[in-house]
Amino acid sequence: MKGDGFLRRLFLFAIILLISYSSWSAYGKPSSYSEIKTALITIKDDLDSLKKNENITDFFQSLDMRMISLVQQLETKTDKLSKDQPEILFSVEKPKLKAPDKQAFSIYNIELGDLRRDVEKQIGKPKRESFNEYGVKWYAYHENYQNFMMVAYNKKGKVAALYTNNDLVTSTKGISLGTEKDKVLNILGEPLSKIQKGLIYYQFQQNRDYDMFRLVGSYVTVFYDKHEDNTVTAIQIVDEHLEANKREFYTKASTKLKEGFEFQLFDLTNATRVKHQLGILNWDEHVKMTARRHSNDMAENNYFDHKNLKGQSPFDRMTEDNIIFTLAGENLATGQFSSIFAHEGLMNSLGHRKNILKPGFENLGVGVAFNSKSQPYYTQKYFTK
């Protein structure tokens, strides 16, 4: 009878362990199991010596106490992991949008030519500023990455460029986020197939996931999500003078531009995650350096691969840099002339998209490098400790 009771308790204990392990997996496994492993070894040793134990009642009482203690440890660790998870849903009010007054498009009721002081009176101060490919800065505005948009200003403090991947777009043309590609082409007509920089025309790829249109006073790039029925997922608007000042297809490499691309790709990723009801990733400086070294290696040695020339995988390189992880992933991009184009391209590649939208990731570092032609290489490192 006592043996039957012991088996029932052992079976119950195994079920509790399984449930607790499943709960951990939902948040990412803890980095150390030493306490629990020690307790299990102790119980196993006691079971091995059960035959030699003359006082069976005392043995079971002792075993029950250790089981209770171990379950309490599991509950404590699970509770801590739950509290450590980033907030996924935020209560941010969507702004009331109106049709643009002067341009074909507006974002968050802001148009090209608006004054910076009027913009920030309406939406507050930026959360980040970083250099972009136009030789000016992107100013990122958002509330916990909701209502996300980026604005660039010219020397007179007027809006010279806008971008958003949030539902903040209004248009006199009847185009907004979620509009089908066929409808966009029907309304705006034939998109540009090339763009002139200096004396050279640069041809756009035929299988691209975006269209650029030359409208009055501006260039409007409409990005599509092919995994959402080829509907509009983001829009960039650039003043014609700012675009004309960009004399090369790839902007000359600089430390400021490298750091700008890194932070922009990080912010774009988080804005997209929140848009899909996922938690915000933390910036990790340590893994950024791992990512940057791989981008440097690809740029200097003219290759593009997750494995480096030494045969090391993304995980080998993280381990070599003493980064502890239980879950990790890597995204690579090259050829795109900005982080916006890189991000939108990654979202249209299913494997990369899965990394961007993986619920289990908690941290992200982005590393950018340029080759001798100023072509950027982007590496994203996702991981959970």
Side-chain angles (χ1 to χ4, degrees):
M1 294 296 292
K2 289 181 180 179
D4 291 341
F6 165 70
L7 290 175
R8 283 195 296 272
R9 283 196 292 273
L10 193 60
F11 179 69
L12 177 61
F13 177 62
I15 292 175
I16 293 171
L17 276 179
L18 179 61
I19 294 171
S20 301
Y21 180 84
S22 300
S23 299
W24 286 356
S25 298
Y27 301 111
K29 297 177 186 176
S31 58
S32 173
Y33 294 93
S34 58
E35 295 177 6
I36 299 169
K37 183 178 179 181
T38 300
L40 289 172
I41 291 173
T42 302
I43 292 172
K44 181 182 180 299
D45 290 342
D46 285 346
L47 290 173
D48 291 339
S49 63
L50 177 59
K51 293 180 180 179
K52 302 177 182 179
N53 197 315
E54 296 179 357
N55 194 333
I56 300 298
T57 301
D58 290 343
F59 171 81
F60 281 126
Q61 288 177 347
S62 174
L63 182 59
D64 285 342
M65 291 299 295
R66 282 195 291 275
M67 284 183 176
I68 292 170
S69 175
L70 185 54
V71 169
Q72 288 174 343
Q73 289 181 49
L74 289 167
E75 290 175 345
T76 300
K77 289 179 181 292
T78 303
D79 289 343
K80 182 180 184 302
L81 285 167
S82 299
K83 293 174 182 177
D84 287 345
Q85 296 310 299
E87 189 70 26
I88 293 178
L89 301 176
F90 308 103
S91 179
V92 176
E93 185 179 355
K94 182 181 175 181
K96 294 180 180 179
L97 303 177
K98 60 180 183 179
D101 297 323
K102 307 180 290 293
Q103 306 285 326
F105 288 90
S106 67
I107 295 176
Y108 210 143
N109 300 326
I110 297 166
E111 302 178 52
L112 296 180
D114 288 352
L115 293 172
R116 178 175 178 174
R117 64 170 179 265
D118 294 332
V119 171
E120 296 190 352
K121 183 179 180 181
Q122 175 187 337
I123 63 176
K125 298 294 183 182
K127 296 296 192 296
R128 192 193 307 280
E129 56 185 75
S130 56
F131 281 92
N132 64 24
E133 68 277 15
Y134 290 102
V136 295
K137 292 180 179 179
W138 277 125
Y139 293 84
Y141 300 88
H142 59 87
E143 301 172 74
N144 290 325
Y145 287 102
Q146 284 202 44
N147 295 335
F148 178 85
M149 66 179 298
M150 296 196 297
V151 184
Y153 303 98
N154 61 22
K155 293 179 180 178
K156 296 181 179 180
K158 293 183 177 182
V159 175
L162 295 158
Y163 166 87
T164 189
N165 60 2
N166 274 221
D167 189 15
L168 302 172
V169 178
T170 53
S171 172
T172 58
K173 306 288 188 179
I175 296 171
S176 60
L177 258 66
T179 301
E180 297 86 355
K181 179 179 180 177
D182 290 344
K183 183 177 179 180
V184 172
L185 296 176
N186 185 51
I187 294 172
L188 296 182
E190 189 71 21
L192 297 177
S193 61
K194 57 188 177 182
I195 189 168
Q196 184 177 3
K197 294 297 175 184
L199 300 176
I200 301 174
Y201 280 95
Y202 291 90
Q203 194 80 24
F204 295 130
Q205 292 180 344
Q206 289 188 349
N207 61 342
R208 62 190 181 274
D209 298 316
Y210 63 88
D211 286 317
M212 183 181 290
F213 300 91
R214 180 76 166 88
L215 303 183
V216 177
S218 66
Y219 289 85
V220 176
T221 304
V222 180
F223 298 93
Y224 308 106
D225 189 334
K226 70 181 184 182
H227 300 291
E228 295 288 343
D229 301 321
N230 256 349
T231 53
V232 177
T233 188
I235 287 182
Q236 176 179 271
I237 308 166
V238 179
D239 178 83
E240 61 181 353
H241 301 295
L242 186 63
E243 187 65 61
N245 287 336
K246 183 173 179 283
R247 305 296 293 174
E248 303 290 339
F249 190 74
Y250 292 115
T251 302
K252 186 177 180 181
S254 69
T255 300
K256 293 190 299 185
L257 185 60
K258 173 175 62 179
E259 293 174 348
F261 279 174
E262 289 171 347
F263 281 121
Q264 288 153 28
L265 195 50
F266 173 77
D267 286 341
L268 290 164
T269 300
N270 269 333
T272 298
R273 285 177 63 87
V274 170
K275 180 179 172 181
H276 286 80
Q277 306 296 303
L278 296 171
I280 294 169
L281 301 175
N282 302 305
W283 175 263
D284 191 279
E285 192 72 16
H286 188 181
V287 83
K288 179 201 79 172
M289 297 308 299
T290 304
R292 189 182 280 183
R293 277 189 286 272
H294 188 57
S295 289
N296 273 322
D297 192 36
M298 291 189 293
E300 291 175 2
N301 293 291
N302 192 32
Y303 75 96
F304 183 67
D305 202 319
H306 288 287
K307 279 194 173 182
N308 64 17
L309 299 181
K310 297 178 182 178
Q312 292 176 311
S313 71
F315 315 110
D316 295 332
R317 288 183 271 110
M318 291 176 71
T319 300
E320 185 176 64
D321 287 346
N322 298 315
I323 296 169
I324 298 173
F325 61 94
T326 57
L327 184 66
E330 180 178 86
N331 282 352
L332 303 179
T334 190
Q336 300 87 353
F337 48 83
S338 78
S339 286
I340 289 176
F341 283 82
H343 172 72
E344 300 299 340
L346 290 169
M347 280 296 291
N348 274 311
S349 171
L350 190 58
H352 298 101
R353 182 189 185 96
K354 286 181 178 179
N355 276 339
I356 293 170
L357 301 180
K358 186 180 287 293
F361 285 140
E362 296 176 355
N363 308 290
L364 171 62
V366 182
V368 172
F370 302 91
N371 65 13
S372 59
K373 298 179 181 179
S374 291
Q375 177 180 338
Y377 286 74
Y378 308 84
T379 301
Q380 292 180 309
K381 303 288 290 185
Y382 298 84
F383 77 104
T384 297
K385 294 182 180 179

